[in-house]
Every structure is written in structure tokens, then in C-alpha cells.
Amino acid sequence: MSKVFRFKGGVHPRDRKELSRDKAIEPAPLPERLVVPLSQHIGAPCEPVVSQGDTVKKGQKIGEARGFVSVPVHAPTSGKVIKIDSFPHPLGKDLPAIEIEPDGLDTCADGAGGQEDFASLSPDELRAIIREKGIVGMGGATFPTHVKLSPPEGKPIDTLIINGAECEPYLTADYRLMLEEPEKVITGMRIMKTILGVERAFIAIEKNKPEAIDAVKGVLGPDSREATVVPLEVKYPQGAEKQLIKTIVNREVPPSGGLPMDVGVLVQNVGTAAAVDQAVRLGIPLIERVVTVTGEGIREPKNLRVRIGTPVGSLLEACGGFRETPGKLVLGGPMMGISQYTTEVPVIKGTSGVLVLPRSRVRLEEARTCIRCGTCVRVCPMNLLPNFIGTFASRGLFDQAERYYALDCIECGSCAFSCPAKIPLVHLIKYAKAEIMAKKRKK
């Protein structure tokens, strides 16, 4: 049993995972049209390598990466390119994407073979495969995985953590993946250990997922030294990268720009590990993922295997539609997800969930004056002063907000969740961060 440490702060929202946790993963119907954004990762967007009217096959590259911190995108099925234009994007604005009309045949592209004996490949060859297959962090950050697996000289990695905490309320996609396909997660971990040359690995899962813990342990075997499965306290944001590192190896990632590699650790989501397995062993690019469609506003919550580019509206139909008048549509969880204004937005590589809350459960509460209770300070897992940063942001004092480490905020939402005055602290801090970064770019 590995010793488990604690991180400061955090909250305990109702998880509401019972709506979908017992729903096995099922394939989502192929929609009538797919919209594949060219921006699905941190870094420069892809350049299209197909044209309107072209015929494409499943897994064919349709967008080429530009630069090191970028990955290509691939056709989720076979069909015809209808349009290359700007379409609604989950980030809230229209962005370039490739619209495909499926032909219903799902014909695979040629030369999509993998390498079962991955140990015979060098780390550089494995990284090249992972890049070419478009793998990014699937916990929501969408950072290109091959970049994360390429620590610079002077930053040795001695620990790999596979993140199965899934601490966001409502979401159960990672839980079902660990429960139903643990061998993919474990093989992906083995591939990443090979690339990094590390011996020590942990698989982090919250204690309220005992079936997933047993499933993963079952694949590893009773005497395995490949990885230690660590049951974690159920607390939000337990799955945040810096908090996970503190909890498992008791190392503090330096503030103000520090990265996990600064303390010798690399963290990857369980979905990313499974995608690495499929890319390397079978040659399958990242063209689908597991998505939880849930919330009290959905008639039949489900965990669906969804093609990238599927419009959210199609998923809602697959789940029986709205139970009652919708009040809020969120991609991701309720704490860190992004509200949407249209069901036309497509699922992208970082979409872990679609959450619908009915109008009867959505309340717009007017913010009141801060009562100086300090609750937001106590729950902040980054040791910040959200009350001060929020006040600076509301007054346009962005230099002061930066001096109070606004850029260190991980936007987990614990402060706003616990604020008795209902002050939208996360929105204010995001506003301050955007203004600070805009000023830096002008210099």
C-alpha cells in the first residue's frame, strides 16, 4: 500500500454520477454529418490537406500539424468532404473545420497497421507514431501527448502517474473505460513507461470507484511491480495535475509557470493511455472517444463511444432528447466545463462529457458584496487569494491581480462553488488572466 498525502483546500460537491455510472459504453449512431475542427489541441491549428468534394476514408489524415506543439486530425469515417469553413466550436467561437458527409461504409484508409511488439521500437519511433495518430491529453487539456513525452535535457522523469480520478461531478466516461477496457489503459501505460524509461508508475483512482480499482488490479496481476494502484480520497479537484502529484508523491510543482517535469513527474489521463495503446499496437488514430451524456435534463443518460466531429445534437437524440425544457448545456463537467449556446457544436478530442441541466435547476443568482468570510481562500487548492484577485479584476487592476498570482489559478471553480455571496470568482479570474496575457503578448 502506497502512502497517500493530502493537498490543501478542495470541496465536496454532490457527484451525481449515479445517473450514468452503471451504463455500459455503447457506440453512438453515426450522424448524417461530421464537423472535424482543425483546432483540437493546444498549439497551432492544422492545415487542411483535403479539398471540398474529395472522398476520404476512415482514419485518413485530413489536417496536417503545423509545428512541434501540434498534431494532425483524421477522418472519423469514410465519406465526402462537403465544406471547409468556419463552424461553431466548443471554445465559444466559430473556427475552421472540415465537414464530412458519411457514406455509411466506414471504409478504412490503407496502411493503417500497428506494432504489437512495441518494445522493439525506439522511444523516438514511438513518439512519432503517437504524434502522427493525433494523440492529445483527453482529460480536457488537449496538450499534444508526444510533446509531453519529450522532456527536455536536464528534466529527468522518474515517475509516471496515470490519472483515473475523474473528480468532476456527473462524468463517468473514464470510470467505464477503466471498468470495461482496463487492458488498453495498462498497455498504454507500458508504452509510455518504455518511452520515458521510468520504472515507477502509479494509477490514481478515487475510492468511490472500487470496481474500477479491482478491474485495473486484475490486469496488472497480484504481484505486479509495473504500477501501484492508489485509491484516493474523494475530493474535488483530486484529479488536477498538481494536486495529484502532491497527493501521490508529496512533491510541490513550483508556482508561476512550474511544470510537473520540474519535479520529475509526468501525468497522463486514462483515456490518453488507452488512445496511445490503440495508436501504437493497432495503428488507429484518435477518431473517437468515450463521452458521458448526462444530467437531469436528459431523458436517458449514457456513456457513448463517439466519433470526433459528431454534433452534440446527435448525441442528445441518441439519449432520448430533453426530459424537460433545458436550462444549461455544458461540454465537460459542471465545475470546469464550458457552457454552450448551440447543439451544433461538435465533440472534439477533449470532450469528456455533455451535461444538460433543466431550466428548473438553473438559478441565476445576483452577486452580493463580499463578506470577507475567507471561504474561497480556505478551499483554493493553489493557495491563492481569490477574493483579492476577483476584486482587482472587477476594478480593472490587472497588474495587482498578476502580483497576487492570478496566472497560477487552475480555474477549478472551488472558490465560486463555495462563495456564500455568489460572486463569480472564476469568471473574474479568467478575465484577469486574459487581460494579463494580452498585455504580455503586446510587449
Side-chain angles (χ1 to χ4, degrees):
M1 177 69 73
S2 176
K3 182 178 180 180
V4 176
F5 302 88
R6 295 174 62 89
F7 67 89
K8 179 243 174 210
V11 293
H12 297 86
R14 285 190 65 190
D15 70 20
R16 304 296 291 160
K17 293 180 186 289
E18 70 275 11
L19 295 176
S20 59
R21 65 173 295 143
D22 296 327
K23 304 292 182 65
I25 300 168
E26 60 179 272
L30 193 61
E32 294 180 354
R33 56 188 279 275
L34 292 152
V35 177
V36 183
L38 294 167
S39 293
Q40 298 192 53
H41 52 267
I42 290 176
C46 295
E47 285 283 354
V49 293
V50 293
S51 302
Q52 183 174 329
D54 283 357
T55 297
V56 296
K57 294 183 178 179
K58 180 181 178 181
Q60 177 182 332
K61 187 188 296 183
I62 57 176
E64 184 58 272
R66 294 189 300 167
F68 181 60
V69 189
S70 182
V71 292
V73 295
H74 303 77
T77 186
S78 56
K80 184 177 180 181
V81 175
I82 301 301
K83 188 189 295 183
I84 301 175
D85 205 343
S86 292
F87 293 87
H89 189 282
L91 291 180
K93 54 186 177 182
D94 288 4
L95 290 173
I98 298 173
E99 183 181 19
I100 297 173
E101 181 182 58
D103 60 14
L105 301 176
D106 235 10
T107 307
C108 291
D110 299 330
Q115 182 73 30
E116 282 283 355
D117 182 19
F118 64 85
S120 66
L121 301 177
S122 70
D124 283 344
E125 288 172 323
L126 290 168
R127 290 189 194 97
I129 293 172
I130 291 169
R131 177 188 184 277
E132 192 63 16
K133 299 303 179 185
I135 310 301
V136 299
M138 296 174 70
T142 66
F143 196 85
T145 302
H146 72 280
V147 179
K148 213 168 178 181
L149 290 169
S150 306
E153 288 189 23
K155 300 285 185 183
I157 303 296
D158 63 22
T159 303
L160 173 65
I161 298 175
I162 303 299
N163 185 0
E166 198 173 42
C167 59
E168 268 273 4
Y170 286 94
L171 303 186
T172 55
D174 287 351
Y175 167 71
R176 292 306 311 187
L177 182 66
M178 290 186 286
L179 190 62
E180 298 181 45
E181 301 171 358
E183 67 285 348
K184 292 181 181 177
V185 176
I186 299 301
T187 305
M189 177 200 72
R190 289 169 178 155
I191 294 170
M192 289 189 278
K193 285 181 68 177
T194 299
I195 293 172
L196 296 168
V198 301
E199 293 293 328
R200 189 166 75 153
F202 297 93
I203 301 174
I205 307 173
E206 287 185 304
K207 291 178 180 175
N208 62 348
K209 304 176 182 71
E211 301 90 350
I213 291 172
D214 290 344
V216 170
K217 284 184 174 179
V219 175
L220 286 171
D223 302 318
S224 174
R225 295 186 177 182
E226 288 187 291
T228 303
V229 179
V230 185
L232 299 174
E233 178 187 6
V234 179
K235 183 169 77 166
Y236 179 88
Q238 184 71 80
E241 202 168 59
K242 294 177 181 176
Q243 284 62 43
L244 202 56
I245 293 169
K246 170 64 179 174
T247 303
I248 294 180
V249 294
N250 198 27
R251 297 178 187 172
E252 301 265 6
V253 177
S256 304
L259 296 171
M261 70 173 69
D262 294 326
V263 293
V265 181
L266 191 144
V267 180
Q268 293 283 3
N269 171 265
V270 291
T272 310
V276 165
D277 164 64
Q278 297 294 283
V280 173
R281 283 197 311 110
L282 304 178
I284 300 175
L286 183 45
I287 56 173
E288 63 181 20
R289 65 158 298 147
V290 181
V291 177
T292 303
V293 184
T294 185
E296 289 80 359
I298 284 292
R299 195 171 297 278
E300 188 181 357
K302 294 181 177 181
N303 295 293
L304 297 173
R305 192 177 304 281
V306 181
R307 306 291 177 103
I308 301 299
T310 300
V312 165
S314 296
L315 300 186
L316 300 177
E317 289 179 15
C319 294
F322 299 124
R323 181 179 295 277
E324 56 182 282
T325 304
K328 198 168 189 177
L329 171 66
V330 179
L331 290 197
M335 300 297 284
M336 295 187 72
I338 301 176
S339 296
Q340 304 295 319
Y341 70 93
T342 173
T343 59
E344 288 295 307
V345 291
V347 167
I348 61 174
K349 296 175 182 179
T351 305
S352 54
V354 176
L355 172 64
V356 178
L357 299 176
R359 183 178 295 175
S360 59
R361 293 179 68 94
V362 177
R363 290 183 298 172
L364 290 176
E365 296 186 88
E366 187 172 347
R368 302 183 294 275
T369 303
C370 176
I371 59 174
R372 310 294 184 194
C373 65
T375 302
C376 61
V377 178
R378 286 194 296 276
V379 302
C380 177
M382 293 301 293
N383 293 313
L384 303 179
L385 300 174
N387 49 349
F388 278 63
I389 300 172
T391 299
F392 292 142
S394 66
R395 296 176 181 177
L397 303 174
F398 304 115
D399 289 341
Q400 285 91 328
E402 185 178 7
R403 283 197 285 273
Y404 276 69
Y405 304 102
L407 294 179
D408 282 356
C409 173
I410 60 172
E411 304 174 11
C412 68
S414 295
C415 54
F417 174 79
S418 59
C419 177
K422 306 303 178 187
I423 298 172
L425 289 165
V426 178
H427 290 81
L428 289 168
I429 297 173
K430 284 184 176 180
Y431 172 45
K433 291 171 71 175
E435 291 294 323
I436 293 167
M437 293 307 298
K439 184 177 178 181
K440 287 181 179 292
R441 284 192 290 270
K442 288 179 180 177
K443 289 182 178 179

